[in-house]
Amino acid sequence: MIDSLLNLDRTVSVAINSWHSPFWDSIMLFLSNKYAMIPLYALIVLYIIGRRKFTIRNREYYNSWKIVSIILLCCLAAFAFADIVGHDIIKPYFHRLRPGYDFYTWDLVRTPDGKGGAWSFVSNHAFNFFAFATAISLFVRRKWFSCFIFLLAAAVCYSRVYLARHFLGDVLCGALLGIITGYIFYRISAWIINILAYSRAIRKIR
């Protein structure tokens, strides 16, 4: 059963990697570049700072430096937690080789961005980005924002398979773990905000 799933994963991933062109190579390389997202993060920070109020667990709060600090720390913590767990715990435990090193796929895939490190499961790009996207979307609670951030996260995941840095299963599992992580960190942060509200350190909207 496991071998069948792995072989299917390899087949689909090699197929995605084969749908290429110079134009899409440049797009996917851009999406996979971790530094390319810095302007996006900066815009999100500015958007959070500029909001008048937040709805957190059915309670409305005025924006303040405390609210903004908690939200940004939550998203940063979710991102960092995903990065550490994915890179230092999950990858060394499973020892799944990347497509460029895997015995069954290494001579079938193109690697425009290089082969990367040896271990493939899970995708840290997927884990990190979906953890961040989940946490920030739960704080913002705007459909347009959630659609944008999750579509971007999905595009980043697709780029990792397109560039043969990961198998499809790596990014799907990474995305699932990221969603769970982002939700957990959101709930912890919402709990802290509610405690501060009861202590009147943060003003609620009546």
Side-chain angles (χ1 to χ4, degrees):
M1 179 64 176
I2 297 297
D3 287 340
S4 297
L5 287 175
L6 291 175
N7 287 332
L8 177 62
D9 193 16
R10 291 186 182 103
T11 301
V12 174
S13 300
V14 169
I16 292 173
N17 175 257
S18 69
W19 304 330
H20 64 87
S21 72
F23 171 77
W24 286 111
D25 281 359
S26 62
I27 296 295
M28 297 302 162
L29 286 167
F30 174 80
L31 288 171
S32 274
N33 187 333
K34 59 184 179 180
Y35 298 110
M37 295 300 164
I38 291 177
L40 172 66
Y41 295 138
L43 287 174
I44 290 174
V45 170
L46 292 175
Y47 177 66
I48 294 297
I49 293 173
R51 292 201 60 178
R52 191 180 75 84
K53 63 181 181 179
F54 293 93
T55 301
I56 301 170
R57 297 191 67 185
N58 300 320
R59 294 187 176 96
E60 290 190 325
Y61 297 89
Y62 288 111
N63 195 346
S64 68
W65 68 268
K66 292 178 183 178
I67 289 280
V68 169
S69 297
I70 292 171
I71 291 173
L72 296 180
L73 283 173
C74 166
C75 296
L76 179 62
F79 188 98
F81 177 85
D83 194 61
I84 293 169
V85 170
H87 187 271
D88 296 338
I89 298 176
I90 298 179
K91 276 189 171 76
Y93 179 80
F94 284 97
H95 283 185
R96 187 185 193 190
L97 293 173
R98 291 185 190 267
Y101 298 104
D102 185 87
F103 177 77
Y104 297 97
T105 59
W106 69 269
D107 59 342
L108 300 176
V109 295
R110 303 163 47 259
T111 55
D113 197 29
K115 294 183 178 181
W119 310 130
S120 185
F121 185 87
V122 293
S123 166
N124 265 46
H125 274 70
F127 200 171
N128 298 347
F129 213 105
F130 269 90
F132 175 82
T134 300
I136 198 68
S137 64
L138 286 170
F139 281 115
V140 171
R141 293 190 181 274
R142 291 290 183 270
K143 288 182 180 180
W144 68 267
F145 183 88
S146 296
C147 289
F148 168 75
I149 200 73
F150 278 107
L151 283 174
L152 183 59
V156 170
C157 289
Y158 182 86
S159 75
R160 303 305 287 167
V161 183
Y162 177 98
L163 296 171
R165 293 296 291 266
H166 286 286
F167 292 102
L168 180 62
D170 303 335
V171 300
L172 292 178
C173 291
L176 178 60
L177 289 174
I179 291 170
I180 294 170
T181 298
Y183 180 74
I184 290 172
F185 275 85
Y186 163 77
R187 290 298 297 264
I188 293 171
S189 300
W191 175 70
I192 293 171
I193 289 171
N194 285 339
I195 288 177
L196 292 175
Y198 283 121
S199 68
R200 297 183 182 277
I202 291 177
R203 293 171 60 202
K204 287 194 294 184
I205 300 173
R206 299 293 181 181

